[in-house]
Amino acid sequence: MQVDILLLLCLWMLGAAGRFARQSSQAFEIYKKSRREPSRVHITFSKRPWRTAAARKLTRGHRAKREAPRQEGETHKPGSPILKRSPDITKAPLTKSEQLLRIDDHDFTMRPGFGGPAIPVGVDVQVESLDTISEVDMDFTMTLYLRHYWKDERLAFPSTNNQSMTFDGRLVKKIWVPDMFFVHSKRSFIHDTTTDNVMLRVYPDGKVLYSLRVTVTAMCNMDLSRFPLDTQTCSLEIESYAYTDDDLMLYWKKGNDSLKTDDRISLSQFLIQKFHTTTKLAFYSSTGWYNRLYINFTLRRHIFFFLLQTYFPATLMVMLSWVSFWIDRRAVPARVPLGITTVLTMSTIITGVNASMPRVSYIKAVDIYLWVSFVFVFLSVLEYAAVNYLTTVQERKERKIRDRLPCTCGLAHPRQLIMGTSYSDVDVNTTGTYGVPENGEKQERILVHLALGDDRTTSRRKNSRSYVSMWIDTHAIDKYSRIIFPGAYILFNIIYWSIYS
């Protein structure tokens, strides 16, 4: 009985082992088929616990064998199904630019060739625009492309086709670049739209091109003594901040050809005459000598705007003040407002011009013209004041003499009152003066002499001659002013424009 039980148990174990072997071979065949057609073949295992564990163990074994060559670098035998796949070269690790340039192998806080001669750094500039020039702030704004050229053997790399590599501003922070700055700069910035406008180009032999786009506002010491007939020369100065001429030698790469300008550059008030470059040494008592590069440009101001806004209005105001010389001296309400209006208008023009100019301590050319014009306008007002005063004095004296004379009422003509005994005492030339004036008009007042006695003839002759000496023709002042004022102003303009043109 016991023997039968043992035999049955052995048979059952053999059957179970056979089923397990068949299941394992089926699972391996399904796995191989899934490697060939992964999208259509799915592995299903029995829900029985012992079959699931066996399949998982078998799957883990095959997965380990498949991943072992990737981890250990082993090669598969020919005929393996895995070797039929082509390798994905896009996922292969590439050499980084930092590794190719060996940035981590060097200390780029030191300049190239540290301890040796000064490293030459060439510079060239392309001026993109000359934006504004302000006389009030004494500065100008310029946008330019600033390029540096030097050689750093630490950045040399092997290349079969001798092509350069170009980088953006991110690599600039990891290597050595010249520490340039703009002398006498008020404001400056590197454009950053859409990214920092910085370019770095490295050649296989270690030569480097470093370019950046900058807008800078710098000082320009202007001499406004000839404004607005002036010509200004401004300069943009470039210098190394830390390295003296013993460590860094700045120079223009191509001399005067290192400076390029856009042909479309134009200014509203200035005509750009020329651009040129110079190089000088700058000395600082605390640090030493530095190379300094200059971008010089000469500007000549357009005069037509100021002719329309300043010179023509001032000239018209002066000419308007001369109109009063043709107005009757007794028309006080006409001549006085005309003179005051021209004076106030000239004051407004002078104030407007000075408001747009810096407060300099010297006299400008436009100040000379405006103030001389103001003086002419002011003198025309004084001329009428003199004419009016002398007319009043004359009328007062004539009124006193008229009061001394007897009444001549009922006479046809005042000349009938002249007695024969006294007519010879009065000089003919003297009486002619009181008859018809020089301008041909009839005299307003006629001096009447009465012969009251022989003993008073001498005194009458003396009084009449004294009256003649006090007579002043006030019309003559206006007559002379009509010639003197325009002639003097024309002479002033000839001298002014011959000096400042």
Side-chain angles (χ1 to χ4, degrees):
M1 189 65 183
Q2 295 178 353
V3 174
D4 295 334
I5 294 174
L6 290 174
L7 288 174
L8 289 174
L9 183 61
C10 290
L11 292 174
W12 181 80
M13 292 180 64
L14 290 173
R19 287 193 299 269
F20 177 76
R22 287 193 301 270
Q23 184 68 28
S24 299
S25 62
Q26 291 177 0
F28 184 71
E29 291 294 330
I30 293 173
Y31 173 74
K32 289 194 297 180
K33 192 177 294 184
S34 66
R35 294 297 298 171
R36 296 173 184 171
E37 299 178 0
S39 60
R40 291 179 294 175
V41 179
H42 300 277
I43 301 176
T44 26
F45 294 95
S46 175
K47 294 183 179 180
R48 296 181 182 180
W50 64 272
R51 290 184 179 181
T52 303
R56 289 177 180 174
K57 184 176 181 181
L58 181 62
T59 302
R60 284 196 299 268
H62 284 282
R63 187 182 302 165
K65 290 180 180 180
R66 188 177 72 250
E67 294 177 355
R70 294 185 180 180
Q71 296 177 358
E72 300 176 1
E74 296 178 358
T75 58
H76 292 274
K77 295 179 180 180
S80 176
I82 300 179
L83 290 179
K84 295 180 181 179
R85 300 175 59 212
S86 59
D88 189 0
I89 59 175
T90 60
K91 296 182 180 179
L94 300 177
T95 305
K96 296 182 179 180
S97 59
E98 290 85 352
Q99 297 176 357
L100 182 62
L101 299 177
R102 296 175 300 172
I103 292 179
D104 297 333
D105 297 341
H106 303 281
D107 183 11
F108 284 96
T109 59
M110 312 297 290
R111 70 171 179 87
F114 180 77
I119 173 176
V121 176
V123 177
D124 67 33
V125 171
Q126 181 175 350
V127 179
E128 181 182 6
S129 64
L130 191 58
D131 302 325
T132 57
I133 298 178
S134 174
E135 294 87 1
V136 178
D137 299 328
M138 292 283 185
D139 59 18
F140 65 92
T141 302
M142 178 186 294
T143 300
L144 51 90
Y145 295 94
L146 181 62
R147 304 184 183 96
H148 310 77
Y149 302 86
W150 73 93
K151 185 175 182 179
D152 192 346
E153 296 180 353
R154 296 173 295 184
L155 298 176
F157 61 91
S159 175
T160 56
N161 51 11
N162 199 26
Q163 290 184 353
S164 61
M165 294 191 300
T166 303
F167 307 94
D168 56 14
R170 288 172 290 186
L171 187 64
V172 174
K173 301 177 181 179
K174 300 179 181 181
I175 66 173
W176 181 90
V177 293
D179 56 338
M180 301 302 173
F181 80 104
F182 298 100
V183 186
H184 306 308
S185 171
K186 294 182 178 180
R187 296 174 300 275
S188 60
F189 63 92
I190 300 176
H191 290 259
D192 55 358
T193 305
T194 59
T195 59
D196 292 340
N197 296 171
V198 177
M199 186 267 290
L200 185 71
R201 182 172 296 168
V202 182
Y203 294 87
D205 57 352
K207 292 182 179 179
V208 182
L209 166 61
Y210 175 46
S211 176
L212 61 159
R213 182 168 175 251
V214 186
T215 295
V216 55
T217 301
M219 291 177 54
C220 179
N221 295 322
M222 302 182 185
D223 182 13
L224 301 175
S225 59
R226 299 177 63 91
F227 176 87
L229 306 169
D230 57 336
T231 300
Q232 302 294 338
T233 300
C234 302
S235 62
L236 183 64
E237 306 171 13
I238 306 173
E239 184 181 307
S240 172
Y241 191 84
Y243 297 98
T244 63
D245 59 343
D246 295 332
D247 293 322
L248 190 146
M249 183 182 67
L250 278 180
Y251 68 96
W252 290 110
K253 185 174 178 61
K254 299 179 182 178
N256 245 354
D257 295 334
S258 301
L259 182 61
K260 303 294 183 181
T261 58
D262 194 340
D263 296 336
R264 295 174 295 177
I265 296 178
S266 62
L267 296 172
S268 58
Q269 291 190 25
F270 291 92
L271 173 65
I272 303 176
Q273 290 186 327
K274 65 176 180 178
F275 279 89
H276 64 281
T277 60
T278 54
T279 305
K280 296 181 181 179
L281 284 175
F283 176 73
Y284 298 91
S285 58
S286 302
T287 53
W289 293 89
Y290 294 83
N291 293 111
R292 182 177 296 182
L293 305 180
Y294 292 81
I295 302 174
N296 304 311
F297 54 95
T298 305
L299 306 172
R300 184 168 58 87
R301 196 183 305 272
H302 294 298
I303 187 59
F304 190 71
F305 171 81
F306 296 94
L307 288 177
L308 293 178
Q309 299 295 325
T310 304
Y311 287 95
F312 285 166
T315 304
L316 292 177
M317 287 301 105
V318 175
M319 297 174 64
L320 183 61
S321 67
W322 299 339
V323 177
S324 64
F325 302 152
W326 277 266
I327 301 176
D328 186 32
R329 68 180 186 276
R330 288 183 295 271
V332 177
R335 296 187 66 166
V336 172
L338 180 61
I340 294 176
T341 301
T342 53
V343 169
L344 293 179
T345 305
M346 284 301 306
S347 301
T348 303
I349 295 175
I350 294 174
T351 303
V353 171
N354 291 331
S356 60
M357 296 298 298
R359 298 177 181 178
V360 295
S361 58
Y362 49 84
I363 299 177
K364 302 181 290 294
V366 67
D367 294 336
I368 296 176
Y369 193 90
L370 292 179
W371 279 104
V372 170
S373 300
F374 181 84
V375 169
F376 272 89
V377 172
F378 185 73
L379 288 178
S380 66
V381 178
L382 293 183
E383 186 270 346
Y384 177 67
V387 169
N388 190 38
Y389 174 75
L390 294 177
T391 302
T392 304
V393 171
Q394 174 185 331
E395 292 177 351
R396 188 183 301 118
K397 292 182 179 296
E398 291 179 357
R399 191 180 301 112
K400 290 180 180 180
I401 295 176
R402 192 187 314 113
D403 293 340
R404 297 176 189 174
L405 298 178
C407 180
T408 58
C409 301
L411 295 178
H413 198 278
R415 290 182 181 273
Q416 298 176 2
L417 295 176
I418 301 178
M419 303 300 180
T421 56
S422 62
Y423 183 79
S424 60
D425 296 335
V426 181
D427 188 53
V428 178
N429 296 330
T430 303
T431 57
T433 306
Y434 297 99
V436 180
E438 295 179 1
N439 55 8
E441 298 177 358
K442 187 177 179 180
Q443 186 64 274
E444 297 176 0
R445 299 174 181 84
I446 301 175
L447 182 63
V448 179
H449 297 275
L450 297 177
L452 300 179
D454 296 337
D455 55 346
R456 300 176 61 182
T457 302
T458 306
S459 61
R460 287 198 304 271
R461 186 184 301 114
K462 188 180 299 183
N463 291 335
S464 63
R465 290 178 179 176
S466 63
Y467 180 78
V468 172
S469 64
M470 289 186 298
W471 175 267
I472 298 176
D473 188 4
T474 54
H475 289 283
I477 298 179
D478 285 340
K479 186 192 309 181
Y480 296 145
S481 298
R482 295 169 190 172
I483 301 175
I484 295 175
F485 274 73
Y489 195 70
I490 292 174
L491 179 62
F492 161 72
N493 275 272
I494 293 174
I495 297 174
Y496 179 87
W497 293 107
S498 62
I499 292 175
Y500 290 102
S501 295

